[in-house]
Amino acid sequence: MNDEIILAIESSCDETACAILKNGEELLSNIVSSQINVHTEFGGVVPEVASRLHVENISYVISSALKEANVRMEDVDAITYTQGPGLIGSLHVGVLAAKTLGYVYHKPLVPVHHLAGHIYANEYIAPLRFPLLALVVSGGHTELVVMEDDFRFEIVGTTHDDAIGEAYDKVARVLGLGYPGGPKIDKLAKEGKPVYPLPKVHTENPLDFSFSGLKSAVIQSLGRIERKGEVLNTADMACSFQEAALLEIRDRIREAIEIYQPKHFVAAGGVAANSRLRELIREECEKHAEMTYTIPPMWCCTDNAAMIAKAGWHAYKLGVRGDLFDGPDPGLELESYDAGKENA
Ligand code: KG4
Ligand code: ZN
């Protein structure tokens, strides 16, 4: 049997990335060019700057991935890319690169949903078992997703307002910790105690999330401390916020496992890199001996193209195809990639 080679491109936010995957299993290369140092200067991702940096980096990232994998474009069987969701300008760069390569080398195109990529990143650790429950936590998403089979996604819980990563980044900003806030709060919280009282959130759907109230409560609390002339213990506030936010997530996971009785639980997305969240997930999942659980290692939690290659491999096998008229879709819905539905 001939080897099947997938080339994957990811550029939905501030990482320009390309990966090469052989036969759905062997990751031959995984190049990630992060723009984080540039955005740190601005205190967050500046979309216009991100698009320009993608334009500067994309060709080099793709050629490096091919070179490291020792693969020529002629050997590639399909090109998979993140079609959405994400920043429109950033997405455009990856999508155009993929389409150009597809056109020039006559290769099939396989559009992929960014979150499908985050979920399938777990396959680098263990094969997915269904029904599966995924917690997707990133800068743009907070979702509980149930999968009955490959590429059949049902969102059973979502955030009413801010995504968890966004809440981390905003709280870090008001605490003066800089960008990106997630890793900074994670680290600082280890030195603090959850002594500042913050509200518990209630949502109508017990599997939904809400973080904007919590973020506002932190801001109000800072105002109160200042008005009273007290000294803020930043580590304690970071820890209080983190405990409140992550216990909310832990409770939703507990509830969802109860309801859906999955055979496999996976964590996905940048916030899955959080050490306290990883601890809480382990504690919760260890209670279910019959359920497998995977928490991907750090390298495949945050944005990369290896995860897009994995999802793209399955989508390719399922017959998902894009064409040269498809553009990026910043609001792309995960459930529209359900392979059981018409457009897949
Ligand atoms: O998945 P990702 O790389 O990009 C998106 O698709 O959004 O996630 C980035 C988010 C940022 O909000 C960042 O602050 C957060 O993940 N993050 C963390 C940690 N590492 C990254 N949040 C909490 N704790 C961490 N250790
Ligand atoms: Zn992401």
Side-chain angles (χ1 to χ4, degrees), residues 160 199 279 284 292 295 322:
H160 289 194
E279 194 176 280
E284 206 51 40
T292 311
I295 310 172

PDB file of all heavy atoms in Angstrom, residues 160 199 279 284 292 295 322:
ATOM      1  N   HIS A 160     -22.373  31.342  27.789  1.00  0.00           N
ATOM      2  CA  HIS A 160     -23.363  32.388  27.444  1.00  0.00           C
ATOM      3  C   HIS A 160     -22.663  33.691  27.112  1.00  0.00           C
ATOM      4  O   HIS A 160     -23.273  34.602  26.578  1.00  0.00           O
ATOM      5  CB  HIS A 160     -24.300  32.630  28.626  1.00  0.00           C
ATOM      6  CG  HIS A 160     -25.242  31.497  28.846  1.00  0.00           C
ATOM      7  ND1 HIS A 160     -26.340  31.579  29.654  1.00  0.00           N
ATOM      8  CD2 HIS A 160     -25.265  30.244  28.352  1.00  0.00           C
ATOM      9  CE1 HIS A 160     -26.989  30.429  29.656  1.00  0.00           C
ATOM     10  NE2 HIS A 160     -26.343  29.594  28.878  1.00  0.00           N
ATOM     11  N   PRO A 199     -18.616  35.028  43.258  1.00  0.00           N
ATOM     12  CA  PRO A 199     -19.911  34.340  43.138  1.00  0.00           C
ATOM     13  C   PRO A 199     -19.826  33.029  42.362  1.00  0.00           C
ATOM     14  O   PRO A 199     -18.976  32.860  41.508  1.00  0.00           O
ATOM     15  CB  PRO A 199     -20.752  35.358  42.353  1.00  0.00           C
ATOM     16  CG  PRO A 199     -19.761  36.165  41.585  1.00  0.00           C
ATOM     17  CD  PRO A 199     -18.529  36.233  42.432  1.00  0.00           C
ATOM     18  N   GLU A 279      -5.425  18.755  37.030  1.00  0.00           N
ATOM     19  CA  GLU A 279      -5.563  18.046  38.302  1.00  0.00           C
ATOM     20  C   GLU A 279      -7.036  17.731  38.592  1.00  0.00           C
ATOM     21  O   GLU A 279      -7.391  16.615  38.945  1.00  0.00           O
ATOM     22  CB  GLU A 279      -4.997  18.998  39.365  1.00  0.00           C
ATOM     23  CG  GLU A 279      -4.716  18.450  40.713  1.00  0.00           C
ATOM     24  CD  GLU A 279      -4.061  19.583  41.544  1.00  0.00           C
ATOM     25  OE1 GLU A 279      -2.853  19.818  41.376  1.00  0.00           O
ATOM     26  OE2 GLU A 279      -4.776  20.250  42.327  1.00  0.00           O
ATOM     27  N   GLU A 284     -11.631  13.912  38.827  1.00  0.00           N
ATOM     28  CA  GLU A 284     -13.008  13.601  38.455  1.00  0.00           C
ATOM     29  C   GLU A 284     -13.072  12.298  37.651  1.00  0.00           C
ATOM     30  O   GLU A 284     -13.937  11.455  37.888  1.00  0.00           O
ATOM     31  CB  GLU A 284     -13.566  14.778  37.631  1.00  0.00           C
ATOM     32  CG  GLU A 284     -15.047  14.955  37.667  1.00  0.00           C
ATOM     33  CD  GLU A 284     -15.624  14.977  39.069  1.00  0.00           C
ATOM     34  OE1 GLU A 284     -15.019  15.582  39.980  1.00  0.00           O
ATOM     35  OE2 GLU A 284     -16.697  14.367  39.262  1.00  0.00           O
ATOM     36  N   THR A 292     -12.211   5.782  29.757  1.00  0.00           N
ATOM     37  CA  THR A 292     -10.844   6.214  29.439  1.00  0.00           C
ATOM     38  C   THR A 292     -10.834   7.742  29.510  1.00  0.00           C
ATOM     39  O   THR A 292     -11.847   8.358  29.202  1.00  0.00           O
ATOM     40  CB  THR A 292     -10.508   5.842  27.972  1.00  0.00           C
ATOM     41  OG1 THR A 292     -10.855   4.490  27.770  1.00  0.00           O
ATOM     42  CG2 THR A 292      -9.061   6.064  27.624  1.00  0.00           C
ATOM     43  N   ILE A 295      -5.741  13.679  28.552  1.00  0.00           N
ATOM     44  CA  ILE A 295      -5.470  15.118  28.611  1.00  0.00           C
ATOM     45  C   ILE A 295      -4.226  15.296  27.757  1.00  0.00           C
ATOM     46  O   ILE A 295      -3.175  14.768  28.111  1.00  0.00           O
ATOM     47  CB  ILE A 295      -5.194  15.569  30.063  1.00  0.00           C
ATOM     48  CG1 ILE A 295      -6.295  15.065  31.004  1.00  0.00           C
ATOM     49  CG2 ILE A 295      -5.066  17.076  30.136  1.00  0.00           C
ATOM     50  CD1 ILE A 295      -6.000  15.297  32.482  1.00  0.00           C
ATOM     51  N   GLY A 322     -13.247  20.281   0.100  1.00  0.00           N
ATOM     52  CA  GLY A 322     -13.521  21.686  -0.152  1.00  0.00           C
ATOM     53  C   GLY A 322     -13.214  21.962  -1.607  1.00  0.00           C
ATOM     54  O   GLY A 322     -12.755  21.068  -2.323  1.00  0.00           O
TER      55      GLY A 322
END
